[in-house]
Amino acid sequence: MLNLNTKIKSSSDVNPADVGVHVNHRQRLTFANIMAILLAGLGSFTFGYANNATSGSFAQTTFIAKFLSGSNSDSVVNGILGGFLGGGFVGAIIQAPISNRWGRRVATATAAMFIVVSAALDAGSVNAAMFTVFRSFTGVGAGMLLANCPVYMSEIAPPHLRGMLVGNHAISIVYAYTFSSCFALAFNFVDKPYQWRLQFIMLTACGLMLLCSLYFLPESPRWLCEQERYDEAWIILRNLNRTEEDPEATIAAGEMAQIRAQIMEERILPRGYIYIFKTPHLRHRAICSILVWVMGQSTGMLVIANLTPTLFATLGYGTVLQLALAIVWCICAMIGCYVNAAIMDRVGRVRLLVTGGYLCTTTLIVEAVLQKYYLDGHSKAGTSGAVAMYFLFIFFYGSTIDCASYVYISEVWPTHLRSYGATIGLSSFFSLALAFITPASTAFAAIGWKYYFPMVAVCVISTTVIAFVCPETAGLTLEEINKKFGDTVALDLSSADAIASTMMKAGNMHFENAPTEVTQDVQGEKYA
């Protein structure tokens, strides 16, 4: 497999190139960029498998006999779900200082180790308390991955395809949901007491694969620039973006000059959550990041995802069909994510989010009405309609919200605050998930279809606010997005391209000493 962690040896690594200053930044994808995104997606996959691991377990006979056979089964389910999400909240917070201090790869490695150890101990659990405690530790690792992976992807993706590439985060999560559901169905036919443990052995294996993959994954060039390791950042960015038509990665060189100039300007700025909420343009970003996941979680997606087999059981289906329908549900989500990733860079993030919020709200209302009248199973058509709404819901969510939400909250923040921003966004993800999921099992048992309407109310309000508060970011470099929030861009792309051009002509691509403005003629034009 391709190893992108190459180091610069000398200035002769890059030959002079006679390039102009007007560069088309719509570069085609490279094999190296695709491989890096796919490898990073293993972190997203591991989160998805960790999150969905208990969904099938709740329907397996051995798990029920082991943990859910008492009169407090609803409380045990709520505790397991709440413990994982509470751990996820903690993980989303602690990933920021780890990622900022030691890098994106170290943060992912730390998360993987949390998951390997805790999933192995879950597989060996002897009672519900032990299982719940280590499920919480799995949540810590999962929360770190959920916050860190889209940040990393956004920092290595080219601007005009960033939506599609960072969308791999959500797509990989849905892949994991599908694999987890398939294994849950397969393990259901293992007629042994250890049947339920196999799912968590698989999760341990996912964590180990993620750890091994980090050997081949390059560090984020933007994080390296923050550490003033500009030459390392440049060679990684060049390797990710050079093609046969552009062997010297002239497009990436201009982006590198812009990244360096922006980070130099931001280096003197304060950091931390207090600074973010005290500063108007950063507070605007925080509000946007929070709103996206207030809306995303109030659609009820995680409630349905974590209880899919259980919800199908309330509609009268047996264990095998519950697990099989859960697989179909995940496949609908996957198809939706492909649509989302394909259209996001053309349609725009905010337009998709708003459209998705209203569509998901509509399907939840219809689902609630159908369950009100047909939950007792007296009408096959009514029951089939309720099942169809679950499938339609996840397709709407996947094709509009799932990818766009992760992309948006990772790209609206400047580099020195991106991990903090991801924490703010994903903290709202886990907070709202806790608010809706922890009481879900008890609420569905007590009030049934009525539980959908608190989510509907929050979703309608937050979706409407997003339409007026959140600016569009599609097609811009991460540095150019600053303009959308009233910040300055240290170096526009045309000047950055000019700087890169003069460096290439001089045969000196060492960005440690690169100029932050153009002071000489380039193709007859004067830049100052």
Side-chain angles (χ1 to χ4, degrees), residues 191-203:
D191 189 20
K192 298 290 182 180
Y194 56 76
Q195 173 204 63
W196 69 271
R197 302 181 191 271
L198 299 175
Q199 187 75 294
F200 301 94
I201 293 172
M202 289 298 300
L203 177 56

Side-chain angles (χ1 to χ4, degrees), residues 15-17 19 234 248-250 253 500-509:
N15 295 323
V19 296
W234 161 240
E248 304 304 336
T250 56
S501 173
T502 58
M503 292 175 69
M504 284 185 166
K505 288 178 178 179
N508 178 16
M509 295 303 291

Side-chain angles (χ1 to χ4, degrees), residues 155-481:
E155 291 182 339
I156 65 170
H160 70 289
L161 293 172
R162 189 170 57 246
M164 182 182 74
L165 294 180
V166 183
N168 182 58
H169 176 64
I171 291 171
S172 297
I173 291 173
V174 177
Y175 272 137
Y177 280 12
T178 306
F179 273 82
S180 175
S181 298
C182 288
F183 279 119
L185 177 59
F187 295 151
N188 187 63
F189 296 100
V190 177
D191 189 20
K192 298 290 182 180
Y194 56 76
Q195 173 204 63
W196 69 271
R197 302 181 191 271
L198 299 175
Q199 187 75 294
F200 301 94
I201 293 172
M202 289 298 300
L203 177 56
T204 305
C206 289
L208 287 172
M209 284 192 298
L210 176 59
L211 270 176
C212 294
S213 73
L214 293 176
Y215 173 78
F216 303 99
L217 198 68
E219 184 54 83
S220 162
R222 284 175 168 84
W223 180 82
L224 289 171
C225 286
E226 276 204 293
Q227 312 308 307
E228 300 185 12
R229 293 157 62 179
Y230 298 110
D231 278 355
E232 291 179 59
W234 161 240
I235 201 63
I236 289 173
L237 200 63
R238 189 190 71 167
N239 284 351
L240 287 171
N241 291 282
R242 62 182 174 183
T243 63
E244 290 183 5
E245 296 82 6
D246 183 20
E248 304 304 336
T250 56
I251 295 174
E255 187 180 358
M256 178 67 197
Q258 188 182 52
I259 292 169
R260 179 180 180 274
Q262 192 69 35
I263 286 177
M264 288 180 67
E265 182 166 295
E266 293 171 356
R267 181 167 288 120
I268 62 172
L269 298 176
R271 303 183 183 215
Y273 300 108
I274 295 176
Y275 169 65
I276 287 172
F277 284 100
K278 285 175 61 178
T279 309
H281 62 92
L282 297 176
R283 187 165 59 244
H284 184 189
R285 289 174 164 96
I287 291 170
C288 291
S289 299
I290 292 169
L291 276 172
V292 165
W293 277 117
V294 169
M295 183 274 289
Q297 289 293 13
S298 62
T299 62
M301 198 285 293
L302 272 191
V303 173
I304 296 172
N306 280 277
L307 296 174
T308 302
T310 306
L311 294 173
F312 286 134
T314 65
L315 294 172
Y317 295 102
T319 301
V320 173
L321 199 51
Q322 292 169 34
L323 295 170
L325 287 172
I327 295 171
V328 178
W329 189 85
C330 291
I331 291 172
C332 289
M334 189 186 306
I335 295 170
C337 283
Y338 283 133
V339 173
N340 197 337
I343 67 175
M344 192 192 321
D345 289 306
R346 297 180 182 180
V347 176
R349 286 65 154 143
V350 175
R351 188 178 299 174
L352 281 175
L353 290 169
V354 172
T355 301
Y358 290 132
L359 286 175
C360 288
T361 297
T362 302
T363 54
L364 274 188
I365 293 171
V366 175
E367 179 68 36
V369 172
L370 288 171
Q371 289 195 20
K372 176 183 178 181
Y373 292 105
Y374 303 114
L375 195 60
D376 60 2
H378 74 274
S379 169
K380 184 176 180 180
T383 303
S384 298
V387 173
M389 280 301 107
Y390 278 139
F391 293 142
L392 191 60
F393 164 86
I394 193 56
F395 175 76
F396 284 156
Y397 182 90
S399 60
T400 57
I401 298 172
D402 206 1
C403 296
S405 53
Y406 294 111
V407 172
Y408 191 80
I409 68 166
S410 63
E411 67 185 7
V412 298
W413 292 89
T415 299
H416 72 297
L417 295 173
R418 188 161 293 119
S419 288
Y420 291 100
T423 294
I424 291 171
L426 273 304
S427 293
S428 66
F429 174 100
F430 285 109
S431 298
L432 268 292
L434 273 168
F436 288 126
I437 291 178
T438 302
S441 183
T442 304
F444 278 120
I447 62 175
W449 59 270
K450 296 177 183 177
Y451 188 58
Y452 290 112
F453 283 100
M455 293 183 278
V456 165
V458 176
C459 191
V460 169
I461 294 170
S462 55
T463 301
T464 304
V465 176
I466 285 173
F468 292 98
V469 171
C470 297
E472 185 54 66
T473 55
L476 302 174
T477 67
L478 293 178
E479 287 68 36
E480 288 176 313
I481 289 172

Side-chain angles (χ1 to χ4, degrees), residues 4-10 13 229 231-232 235-236 239:
L4 301 175
N5 287 306
T6 312
K7 307 294 184 185
I8 281 187
K9 296 178 180 178
S10 68
D13 284 355
R229 293 157 62 179
D231 278 355
E232 291 179 59
I235 201 63
I236 289 173
N239 284 351

